[in-house]
């Protein structure tokens, strides 16, 4: 990084600059902390805005950018920015040079500087060449991505590929059971819309959606928008913040209006994952209620299946696939956002448990998008081909995540020795891009930022307590200095 030019009276040493950034950090945190009761913004936006304001303040004061980066670390949002990867394990250009990912994934522009590595553009051009081949293939099959797709669920070739992918886990599906979406959250929105529509056709309310807390909160907001009652179930640290079969059975019994269970096989924010036995037990509960004539859909969010150990992820999925008695009640949602670092491309899809259910749900897609963007579908196909032809890329992304998770845990332990912030820095199941930890009494996310410069998300964002905090390893590398 090129140092900024000095000006009269302005400290030039890095350590002096870091002290100035720390003082600005204290000022900004206290200012925002004093105002937080006056805003209706969700906590995640409050923290993200605070960091942005702080970075702008440091720029306005012309602080050295190296000092700012060391003293202000944004760990709020889960996006993985491959342009900011600096990690290189072993020789440059070798398998542990993670800087190359931007080039290998076709994200980096030809000639772009990736922290000392110049992108060749090979991946960038490969993706575009493959898009051309994909369009020719679709036209040869009688599908034109440039005109209206009346069903609105996407091209049948890509949907067939995604259906085939499910077979590795023992799930039998066809293209008819797959619908594409602009990311997993878009698919979830359409699913809630469709299920609510069916309920109203029967002159019924949509019912309630069971969410285990802590959990990803965007589906909660979507469900409420379509008239569902939000039924939040607080999990316990003793069960690694997971929904147990006993807890699920109790809440279904006591709340006959629950029509959907939102289930994350690997959890955001906790980074804990269900074991195959735990998933089998949950599906058995759904099966018992189905035997009594009650249809409860399971919306299984697979966003982080692929970020952990492959054998463990496969075992989890096989346990879900084995619940054949409730297959028609299952809805699987997945995306390329986190497992392949392609958040901005918005590649997502849903797989419905049977064809009849999938066809019925198409009205929700048709009424919201009419058709899906042609270029987007071609790019989706190109990336699908890229990962099937280059499985080592998937392993490399998992390696980067594992490295960052390990470094972050170590960094938090070191900071805890210095500042006594955490009651417990949780380990994880070697999955996701997060760390979930419990704060000591009297501490909160504002105090953590003020003392350490690391911005995390308070637990209330995920329907839990602000005694907990989530950090993401996605945006920035973990620097141990």
């Amino acid at each position: 990084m090129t140092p900024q030019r000095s000006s009269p009276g302005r400290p030039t040493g890095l350590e002096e600059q870091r002290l100035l950034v720390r003082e600005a950090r204290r000022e900004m945190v206290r200012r925002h902390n004093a105002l937080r009761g006056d805003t209706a913004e969700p906590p995640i936006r409050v923290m993200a805005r605070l960091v942005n304001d702080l970075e702008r303040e440091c720029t306005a004061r012309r602080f050295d950018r190296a000092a700012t980066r060391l003293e202000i670390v944004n760990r709020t949002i889960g996006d993985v920015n491959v342009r900011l990867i600096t990690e290189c394990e072993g020789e440059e250009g070798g398998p542990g040079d993670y800087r190359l990912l931007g080039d290998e994934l076709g994200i980096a522009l030809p000639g772009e500087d990736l922290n000392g590595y110049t992108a060749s553009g090979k991946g960038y051009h490969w993706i575009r060449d493959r898009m051309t081949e994909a369009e020719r293939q679709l036209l040869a099959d009688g599908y034109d991505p440039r005109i209206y797709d009346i069903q609105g669920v996407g091209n049948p070739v890509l949907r067939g590929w995604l259906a085939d992918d499910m077979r590795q886990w023992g799930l039998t599906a066809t293209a008819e059971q797959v619908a594409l979406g602009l990311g997993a959250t878009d698919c979830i929105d359409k699913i809630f819309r469709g299920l609510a529509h069916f309920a109203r056709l029967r002159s019924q309310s949509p019912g309630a959606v069971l969410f285990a807390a802590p959990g990803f909160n965007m589906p909660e907001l979507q469900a409420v928008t379509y008239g569902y009652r939000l039924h939040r179930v607080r999990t316990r640290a003793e069960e690694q913040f997971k929904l147990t079969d006993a807890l699920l059975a109790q809440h279904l019994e006591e709340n006959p209006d629950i029509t959907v269970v939102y289930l994350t096989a690997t959890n955001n924010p906790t980074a804990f994952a269900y074991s195959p036995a735990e998933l089998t037990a949950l599906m058995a509960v759904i099966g018992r209620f189905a035997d009594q004539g009650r249809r409860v859909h399971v919306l299984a969010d697979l966003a982080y299946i692929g970020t952990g150990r492959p054998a463990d992820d496969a075992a989890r999925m096989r346990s879900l696939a084995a619940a054949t008695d409730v297959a028609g009640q299952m809805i699987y949602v997945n995306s390329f956002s986190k497992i392949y670092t392609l958040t901005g491309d918005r590649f997502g899809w849903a797989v419905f448990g049977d064809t009849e259910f999938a066809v019925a749900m198409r009205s929700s897609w048709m009424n919201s998008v009419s058709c899906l963007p042609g270029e987007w579908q071609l790019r989706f196909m190109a990336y699908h081909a890229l990962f099937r032809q280059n499985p080592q890329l998937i392993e490399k992304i998992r390696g980067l995540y594992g490295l960052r998770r390990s470094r972050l845990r170590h960094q938090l332990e070191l900071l805890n020795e210095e500042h006594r912030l955490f009651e417990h820095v949780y380990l994880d199941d070697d999955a996701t891009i997060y760390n979930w930890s419990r704060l000591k009494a009297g501490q909160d996310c504002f105090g953590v930022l003020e003392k350490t410069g690391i911005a995390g998300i308070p637990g209330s964002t995920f329907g839990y307590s602000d005694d907990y905090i989530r950090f993401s390893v996605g945006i920035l590398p973990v620097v141990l200095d």
Side-chain angles (χ1 to χ4, degrees), residues 4 7 37 41 90 113 191 206 208 212 225 242 253 293 343 358 418 433 437 445 461:
Q4 296 180 351
S7 58
E41 281 188 297
D113 180 12
I191 289 163
T225 299
K242 290 182 280 189
E253 186 69 42
T343 307
E418 180 180 356
I433 54 174
S437 291
C445 61
T461 302

Side-chain angles (χ1 to χ4, degrees), residues 377-389:
Q377 294 190 67
L378 298 175
R379 188 170 174 85
F380 199 162
M381 294 177 73
Y383 271 107
H384 189 279
L386 176 70
F387 293 118
R388 295 304 166 269
Q389 294 178 29

Side-chain angles (χ1 to χ4, degrees), residues 230-426:
L230 175 60
H231 187 84
R232 189 177 286 156
V233 177
R234 183 183 175 91
T235 61
R236 303 194 310 161
E238 292 81 357
E239 283 86 33
Q240 295 185 319
F241 308 98
K242 290 182 280 189
L243 183 68
T244 65
D245 56 328
L247 202 56
L248 175 60
Q250 174 192 337
H251 283 267
L252 289 179
E253 186 69 42
E254 295 174 355
N255 299 272
D257 65 330
I258 293 175
T259 57
V260 182
V261 173
Y262 176 69
L263 178 67
T264 53
T266 305
N267 187 266
N268 166 19
T270 70
F272 289 118
Y274 287 92
S275 70
E278 289 167 339
L279 290 170
T280 297
L282 291 175
M283 293 303 100
V285 172
I286 298 296
R288 288 202 302 271
F289 280 88
D291 291 341
Q292 299 168 17
R294 182 171 168 188
R295 186 179 178 89
V296 178
H297 290 102
V298 177
L299 178 49
D301 191 334
L302 311 180
Y304 297 96
I305 292 291
T307 61
R309 291 184 289 264
D312 292 347
D313 281 340
R316 292 181 188 105
M317 291 304 301
R318 283 195 295 269
S319 68
L320 290 175
T324 55
D325 56 331
V326 294
Q329 296 164 231
M330 299 297 296
I331 310 170
Y332 301 95
V333 177
N334 210 337
S335 80
F336 282 1
S337 294
K338 297 302 190 296
I339 55 176
Y340 298 145
T341 76
L342 296 174
T343 307
D345 283 288
R346 310 312 304 145
F347 300 141
W349 67 99
V351 181
F352 298 95
D354 62 44
T355 302
E356 183 180 355
F357 182 29
V359 171
M361 287 294 287
R362 286 179 183 169
S363 62
S364 180
W365 262 254
M366 288 185 288
N367 291 334
S368 60
V369 292
S370 297
C371 65
L372 289 160
E375 286 287 310
W376 172 87
Q377 294 190 67
L378 298 175
R379 188 170 174 85
F380 199 162
M381 294 177 73
Y383 271 107
H384 189 279
L386 176 70
F387 293 118
R388 295 304 166 269
Q389 294 178 29
N390 300 277
Q392 71 277 6
L393 280 178
I394 305 172
E395 297 174 12
K396 190 170 187 176
I397 293 169
R398 278 198 302 266
L400 174 66
Y401 289 172
L403 174 66
R404 287 191 173 184
R405 284 195 304 268
S406 176
R407 285 185 173 181
L408 179 59
R409 287 194 298 264
H410 181 56
Q411 182 182 55
L412 294 177
E413 293 286 3
L414 293 176
L415 291 171
N416 198 34
E417 292 177 7
E418 180 180 356
H419 299 288
R420 312 309 301 168
L421 297 169
F422 304 105
E423 187 70 33
H424 199 111
V425 176
Y426 285 105

Side-chain angles (χ1 to χ4, degrees), residues 112-124:
E112 184 174 351
D113 180 12
L114 299 173
N115 300 295
Y117 169 78
T118 302
S120 66
K122 182 179 178 180
Y124 181 91

Side-chain angles (χ1 to χ4, degrees), residues 51-256:
V51 174
N52 289 337
D53 289 349
L54 181 53
E55 289 174 339
R56 282 196 292 268
E57 180 73 12
C58 290
T59 299
R61 297 189 190 187
R62 301 184 61 218
F63 293 154
D64 188 289
R65 285 177 293 176
T68 299
R69 285 195 177 185
L70 287 170
E71 295 296 334
I72 305 170
V73 183
N74 188 351
R75 302 223 170 276
T76 59
I77 309 300
D79 291 2
V80 181
N81 191 335
V82 298
R83 286 189 162 95
L84 299 181
I85 294 174
T86 60
E87 293 92 337
C88 178
E89 298 282 288
E91 62 177 343
E92 292 190 4
D97 192 343
Y98 296 105
R99 297 172 304 165
L100 277 62
L101 274 171
D103 197 12
E104 293 166 331
L105 292 170
I107 295 174
L109 300 173
E112 184 174 351
D113 180 12
L114 299 173
N115 300 295
Y117 169 78
T118 302
S120 66
K122 182 179 178 180
Y124 181 91
H125 291 298
W126 189 95
I127 290 294
R128 280 150 184 79
D129 290 343
R130 188 65 186 83
M131 288 172 65
T132 301
E133 294 173 16
E135 187 161 12
R136 294 186 190 281
Q137 178 183 357
L138 291 176
L139 291 174
D141 289 346
Y143 182 93
D144 189 344
R146 309 293 178 171
I147 62 174
Y148 272 118
D149 167 21
I150 302 302
Q151 295 181 344
V153 293
N155 78 71
V157 174
L158 176 55
R159 289 191 287 117
W161 292 352
L162 295 168
D164 287 341
D165 291 343
M166 302 297 285
R167 292 174 186 163
Q168 65 181 308
W169 297 321
L171 284 161
T172 301
T174 68
E176 291 296 293
Q177 292 168 247
V178 179
L180 308 182
L182 304 178
T185 51
D186 177 53
C187 290
I188 293 171
D189 186 88
K190 290 177 171 63
I191 289 163
F192 283 139
R193 179 204 300 261
L195 293 176
H197 174 66
F198 295 151
R200 293 190 176 98
L201 289 177
R202 300 190 300 269
S203 299
Q204 299 173 353
S205 73
V209 183
L210 186 152
F211 292 97
F216 180 48
N217 70 330
M218 184 61 73
E220 295 182 357
L221 303 176
Q222 294 170 328
V224 170
T225 299
Y226 293 116
Y228 295 87
R229 180 177 70 82
L230 175 60
H231 187 84
R232 189 177 286 156
V233 177
R234 183 183 175 91
T235 61
R236 303 194 310 161
E238 292 81 357
E239 283 86 33
Q240 295 185 319
F241 308 98
K242 290 182 280 189
L243 183 68
T244 65
D245 56 328
L247 202 56
L248 175 60
Q250 174 192 337
H251 283 267
L252 289 179
E253 186 69 42
E254 295 174 355
N255 299 272

